[in-house]
Amino acid sequence: MTEADTTRRLGIAVASGMLKGVYGHGVLSAFEEAGLRAQVYGAASSSGLSGGLAAIGQARRTGVDYWIGAAGGVAEKGMSRVALDSIEEYGPRLRAGLFRPGAPEFLLATSKVTNAAAAAATQGPEAKALGKQLLRDVFAGNRSWVQENLTATVFSSRAAAGGDTPRLTPENYDAVAYASTRMLHAWAVPAEVDGQAHVDASYTCSCPAREVAATGVSVLIAIGNDPFPLFRDLYASEEIADASLLDGARVLVVKPEEDLAHLGVDYAAASPEGLVKAYERGLDEGHRFLGRHAEALAPFVAEHAGTGEAGA
């Protein structure tokens, strides 16, 4: 970025999508190869890992291997254990990179439970049945339980102590990262952050584009993992539309042209071959996207592109 461009800021928000998140990881890897660096990265649920790795310059290094391992572990270990194991494996690297001086701001979304009765329901034996009902509510367009009992809570690595925005720190990173992924129908292990019950970000904020825009970025790239319209949450409460303005930021959306299920990648199950194809699809589309928007994104591309690791 040239001296004249220092007032311009780029934000990248990556949507959730469970195993379909491999596509977004491919897009982020393409950006990394091309030297595109954002000042703010936002992620939710399954994109927490790929978004965090992109923020520290290590998305391409990890690549599709993580997703193949995660998909292979679902049947054997269950979703909670897969998420916890990935945090154990990648957490040290992310904590070392995300909180170093000069690192981009990293936003990680969750859904905070707002009352004791809902906390008991989400943390106890009712959780699985409740989660299945909430998925049925998606198709019915019914957000009433979510509106009454959850609130979008987005942690920031740059939040000031004592401020309104919750702080993401090395001490609470693991808890926030797990909470962000905890879909009630399939994750058995409860999630708490600082003693407060939380559940998956996707119920309230599956793509934290609005929060990234609020940091003062001039251009916002929103990455989706489905070919359908990109929405803020599972219940389609707000569309994140290409070429729109969000809090003053110009929005550019990148997403697959077809459902990744056609490649062998669905939300909770995927073949290794399908994951490789979906990752490569994201990688290819990421480079094409950069070509289409070369002028708008030129200020954010490093002079020497490559796969250097900013967090190493």
Side-chain angles (χ1 to χ4, degrees), residues 5 34-35 90 93 151 157 166 188 196 224 226 234 242-243 248-249 271 286 292:
D5 293 322
Y90 293 97
R93 189 191 311 177
T151 185
S157 63
Q196 174 72 54
D226 277 302
L234 282 177
D242 188 50
S271 67
R292 291 195 301 271

Side-chain angles (χ1 to χ4, degrees), residues 203-224:
Y203 297 116
T204 61
C205 184
S206 54
C207 184
R210 181 165 291 281
E211 287 76 10
V212 172
T215 65
V217 299
S218 53
V219 178
L220 169 63
I221 299 173
I223 303 174

Side-chain angles (χ1 to χ4, degrees), residues 264-288:
V265 179
D266 216 330
Y267 297 109
S271 67
E273 298 81 8
L275 288 164
V276 171
K277 290 177 183 177
Y279 176 79
E280 292 177 345
R281 188 70 56 88
L283 196 63
D284 291 343
E285 180 55 33
H287 282 295
R288 288 195 298 270

Side-chain angles (χ1 to χ4, degrees), residues 226-252:
D226 277 302
F228 323 117
L230 178 59
F231 291 105
R232 174 172 172 79
D233 57 42
L234 282 177
Y235 300 89
S237 64
E238 176 187 0
E239 184 176 358
I240 303 164
D242 188 50
S244 64
L245 284 177
L246 188 58
D247 207 3
R250 177 187 176 189
V251 178
L252 303 174

Side-chain angles (χ1 to χ4, degrees), residues 18-261:
M18 296 180 69
L19 292 174
K20 288 187 175 185
V22 67
Y23 171 87
H25 195 142
V27 173
L28 291 167
S29 296
F31 291 173
E32 194 171 285
E33 285 184 345
L36 183 76
R37 295 286 293 161
Q39 284 68 53
V40 186
Y41 290 83
S45 193
S46 65
S47 70
L49 178 79
S50 52
L53 289 169
I56 66 173
Q58 297 188 26
R60 189 66 172 103
R61 167 182 164 181
T62 304
V64 72
D65 291 345
Y66 160 74
W67 298 93
I68 293 173
V74 169
E76 177 186 351
K77 299 186 291 186
M79 298 299 297
S80 286
R81 192 69 257 165
V82 167
L84 290 167
D85 285 352
S86 72
I87 292 167
E88 182 177 354
E89 180 176 357
Y90 293 97
R93 189 191 311 177
L94 289 163
R95 288 192 300 271
L98 291 172
F99 304 100
R100 75 187 192 284
E105 182 173 6
F106 182 60
L107 307 180
L108 186 54
T110 67
S111 299
K112 184 170 72 173
V113 182
T114 58
N115 60 78
T122 59
Q123 306 296 79
E126 302 174 46
K128 186 173 183 178
L130 173 59
K132 290 180 178 180
Q133 181 58 55
L134 292 179
L135 290 182
R136 290 192 290 269
D137 288 346
V138 171
F139 298 102
N142 178 11
R143 296 179 67 237
S144 59
W145 193 92
V146 167
Q147 288 176 310
E148 292 167 8
N149 298 288
L150 303 178
T151 185
T153 303
V154 182
F155 291 76
S156 169
S157 63
R158 294 278 186 87
D164 293 334
T165 302
R167 296 180 71 195
L168 185 67
T169 68
E171 291 73 30
N172 70 11
Y173 170 81
D174 288 7
V176 175
Y178 176 69
S180 184
T181 72
R182 196 201 167 207
M183 291 294 287
L184 292 170
H185 69 284
W187 269 248
V189 178
E192 289 189 350
V193 181
D194 299 326
Q196 174 72 54
H198 286 68
V199 294
D200 193 285
S202 302
Y203 297 116
T204 61
C205 184
S206 54
C207 184
R210 181 165 291 281
E211 287 76 10
V212 172
T215 65
V217 299
S218 53
V219 178
L220 169 63
I221 299 173
I223 303 174
N225 295 300
D226 277 302
F228 323 117
L230 178 59
F231 291 105
R232 174 172 172 79
D233 57 42
L234 282 177
Y235 300 89
S237 64
E238 176 187 0
E239 184 176 358
I240 303 164
D242 188 50
S244 64
L245 284 177
L246 188 58
D247 207 3
R250 177 187 176 189
V251 178
L252 303 174
V253 174
V254 54
K255 58 186 180 180
E257 295 180 351
E258 65 174 338
D259 191 335
L260 300 177

